[in-house]
Amino acid sequence: MALSLARTPIHRSLSSFRSRAFKCSMAASSIRVGAVQMTSTNDIEANFNTCSRLVKEASTAGVKLLCFPEAFAFVSYRDGESLEIAEPIDGPIMQRYCSLARESNIWLSLGGFQERGSDDKHLHNTHVLVDDTGSIKSFYRKIHLFDVDVPGNMVYKESNFTTPGDDIVVEDSPVGRLGLTVCYDIRFPELYQLLRFQHNAQVLLVPAAFTRVTGEAHWEILLRARAIETQCYVVAAAQAGKHNERRESYGDSLIIDPWGRIIARLPASKARHLAKSFMFVKFHARAC
Ligand SMILES: O=C(O)CNC(=O)[C@H](CS)NC(=O)CCC(=O)C(=O)O
């Protein structure tokens, strides 16, 4: 389900906040949701093999929705490499992930896929949601692009090679209504307010590849704030550790409940040793 950002008056959704807050009740059923922490590289085959193993392990553990980090399929080594490997979302790379979902009978949140853009110089940073039959249910193109001069680190200019999306995306799943976002979006609370109070999302997905510097400073507090403000679960699957000699991600994958409590974590400190793992929790599906 896609809705235009331009057509969503933010004041209306914000004014409904007080009246809707705290009215969700817990239903009896509980469902397992997992998040993966990994260290993707520019080896598409190796990344797929890691994902495939984790999908099978998660499925065996009874997980119904497994969430992968941004750039799960590929992290570039040199500039321009992402553009070269970018494919349509129904291309061969994504089809293999769809087969995984079907074979293991599990929903997959595949955040931050390099989707081929409308010209050779731009891609979309796309979060793809695949259901347990292997069908693409919906996709969200990252709206807020990471054009930031990170102190003591480097200058990122994602907009040099990425076309932003302009649609807000929610999708119903066995876990509840999912709100799809990507990484740097987490710094823009209005998107999460719209997902929750205009489009009734219950679980906010934030696949990420945060830098070490900004992750140490802001990652946990931003994610917990979004959970508290929206009273949604937040699932934040993260890239972790060194992808190559030029690039490192913070890690610290988190699953947060609507009260803002961290209910599962794959620590950043462990990222350097244990960067290919997953965790899961039981969600109580909420009737709002
Ligand atoms: O390009 C790729 O391979 C995958 N994409 C990313 O790593 C993106 C864009 S460069 N990174 C972020 O958004 C980091 C945000 C962040 O660190 C913050 O908000 O502090």
Side-chain angles (χ1 to χ4, degrees):
M1 190 187 310
L3 300 134
S4 166
L5 188 62
R7 288 198 303 271
T8 48
I10 195 155
H11 55 273
R12 181 144 49 89
S13 40
L14 293 181
S15 68
S16 71
F17 177 78
R18 278 180 193 80
S19 58
R20 291 222 215 155
F22 297 105
K23 280 194 182 160
C24 292
S25 60
M26 295 298 228
S29 65
S30 70
I31 290 173
R32 289 182 185 189
V33 177
V36 161
Q37 183 151 293
M38 64 190 292
T39 319
S40 299
T41 68
N42 64 347
D43 185 337
I44 291 175
E45 194 63 28
N47 299 332
F48 178 79
N49 290 339
T50 300
C51 293
S52 171
R53 173 174 66 75
L54 294 170
V55 165
K56 284 170 191 145
E57 287 177 22
S59 167
T60 304
V63 171
K64 292 286 172 257
L65 166 69
L66 186 63
C67 302
F68 283 86
E70 185 180 26
F72 62 98
F74 183 82
V75 167
S76 65
Y77 177 63
R78 53 178 174 77
D79 293 345
E81 214 178 358
S82 295
L83 285 169
E84 289 161 23
I85 62 92
E87 286 185 359
I89 57 169
D90 57 357
I93 295 178
M94 188 51 71
Q95 271 174 21
R96 291 182 77 188
Y97 285 90
C98 290
S99 302
L100 267 187
R102 187 176 57 245
E103 286 155 18
S104 289
N105 197 27
I106 189 170
W107 285 61
L108 299 179
S109 152
L110 299 164
F113 177 68
Q114 291 86 359
E115 180 195 358
R116 184 177 295 168
S118 51
D119 62 51
D120 290 348
K121 302 231 169 343
H122 295 88
L123 48 75
H124 298 287
N125 189 342
T126 304
H127 181 166
V128 182
L129 187 72
V130 179
D131 73 11
D132 56 359
T133 69
S135 305
I136 294 173
K137 289 291 280 188
S138 43
F139 61 91
Y140 160 79
R141 292 172 175 156
K142 188 181 188 186
I143 292 174
H144 304 98
L145 301 181
F146 190 50
D147 290 353
V148 175
D149 183 352
V150 177
N153 192 247
M154 53 192 265
V155 179
Y156 293 83
K157 198 98 175 71
E158 190 176 19
S159 65
N160 274 348
F161 60 94
T162 308
T163 305
D166 53 11
D167 287 331
I168 292 182
V169 178
V170 294
E171 186 62 53
D172 290 322
S173 80
V175 172
R177 181 168 290 191
L178 306 174
L180 275 61
T181 72
V182 178
C183 198
Y184 184 60
D185 281 330
I186 194 65
R187 295 180 181 276
F188 299 85
E190 61 274 23
L191 172 61
Y192 297 83
Q193 289 290 301
L194 290 169
L195 283 166
R196 168 66 177 92
F197 295 106
Q198 190 134 23
H199 305 304
N200 300 315
Q202 295 162 307
V203 178
L204 303 171
L205 305 179
V206 194
F210 249 54
T211 71
R212 176 118 88 98
V213 172
T214 58
E216 274 164 11
H218 300 150
W219 169 250
E220 176 182 326
I221 198 164
L222 286 168
L223 290 163
R224 293 182 71 190
R226 296 300 86 84
I228 294 164
E229 291 160 355
T230 58
Q231 295 153 41
C232 286
Y233 284 98
V234 171
V235 182
Q239 291 282 349
K242 277 193 171 294
H243 308 282
N244 54 57
E245 53 271 36
R246 295 169 56 191
R247 188 149 170 204
E248 180 175 0
S249 294
Y250 177 59
D252 198 28
S253 297
L254 297 175
I255 302 179
I256 303 167
D257 78 5
W259 191 248
R261 269 183 306 239
I262 293 169
I263 51 176
R265 154 176 264 154
L266 292 166
S269 57
K270 272 201 189 162
R272 276 139 215 117
H273 322 289
L274 183 72
K276 292 174 184 168
S277 55
F278 78 99
M279 59 183 175
F280 67 88
V281 295
K282 283 185 187 171
F283 276 16
H284 298 277
R286 298 189 310 158
C288 288

